[in-house]
Amino acid sequence: MSTATTPALEVSDLELVYRVRGIDRPVLRGVSFAIERGRSYGLVGESGCGKSTVALGIVRYLPRNGRISAGGIAVAGQDILALGPRALREYHARTVSMVYQNPGAALNPALRIGMQVAEAFTVLGKGRKEAYERAREALARVQIADPSSVMGRYPHQLSGGMQQR
């Protein structure tokens, strides 16, 4: 149950393993932090220390050989590890997403920005016209100058910061 004091994200004693050649190899142990609503949080560390693995665990995008072996993840008070397949699809569609370090690699270079952003709204059940309007509004919300023009551009025509937004 989410309340005004419930953290937006709470990770508690998270442990994660990758199964390699039939053996579970621990890669995260005892990771805990909470992010309050309206606040930012920086997860920093050396290359290879597990920052991306923590993020992949939070959004439940782990590879097939990865699994959370202990701990908990709650988003707005909801236990993310208890989600079944249908609820997990809803979680991905409406609650969380990833912003990759190299956003250009996450975008399809052959499709215009408008089509790619609108796709998120069509997945949510919006018709094509409404999806495009919502996409334009989303670009405006993240402070993209002239969102109507940007909708017609390809990813390589945007700066890295615009691609991330």
Side-chain angles (χ1 to χ4, degrees):
M1 177 78 134
S2 177
T3 67
T5 59
T6 303
L9 172 65
E10 188 169 15
V11 175
S12 306
D13 294 320
L14 187 66
E15 295 188 14
L16 195 141
V17 298
Y18 286 123
R19 192 160 195 78
V20 179
R21 290 189 280 280
I23 299 170
D24 285 344
R25 309 284 181 175
V27 293
L28 296 177
R29 293 183 197 113
V31 176
S32 296
F33 60 92
I35 304 172
E36 301 302 322
R37 294 175 186 277
R39 305 290 292 190
S40 298
Y41 185 85
L43 185 59
V44 297
E46 294 180 20
S47 179
C49 74
K51 301 177 301 288
S52 295
T53 301
V54 169
L56 291 169
I58 290 167
V59 296
R60 294 206 34 205
Y61 282 157
L62 292 169
R64 277 183 279 180
N65 69 327
R67 72 177 174 82
I68 295 170
S69 57
I73 301 168
V75 173
Q78 180 181 27
D79 180 0
I80 300 310
L81 301 180
L83 298 179
R86 186 177 189 150
L88 186 58
R89 277 192 303 276
E90 184 77 10
Y91 172 67
H92 289 148
R94 298 188 184 272
T95 305
V96 302
S97 61
M98 291 278 286
V99 177
Y100 293 92
Q101 188 171 358
N102 179 4
L107 296 168
N108 185 331
L111 298 177
R112 295 179 191 272
I113 295 300
M115 180 176 280
Q116 294 184 63
V117 177
E119 179 183 22
F121 296 103
T122 58
V123 166
L124 295 172
K126 304 299 178 195
R128 184 173 184 211
K129 185 176 180 180
E130 184 179 356
Y132 271 84
E133 181 54 31
R134 291 267 186 104
R136 193 196 60 69
E137 291 168 0
L139 293 177
R141 250 190 332 273
V142 296
Q143 300 178 352
I144 296 289
D146 194 9
S148 296
S149 170
V150 171
M151 295 272 290
R153 296 184 194 166
Y154 290 94
H156 74 275
Q157 294 174 307
L158 304 182
S159 70
M162 289 175 78
Q163 291 174 354
Q164 280 186 323
R165 286 182 273 162

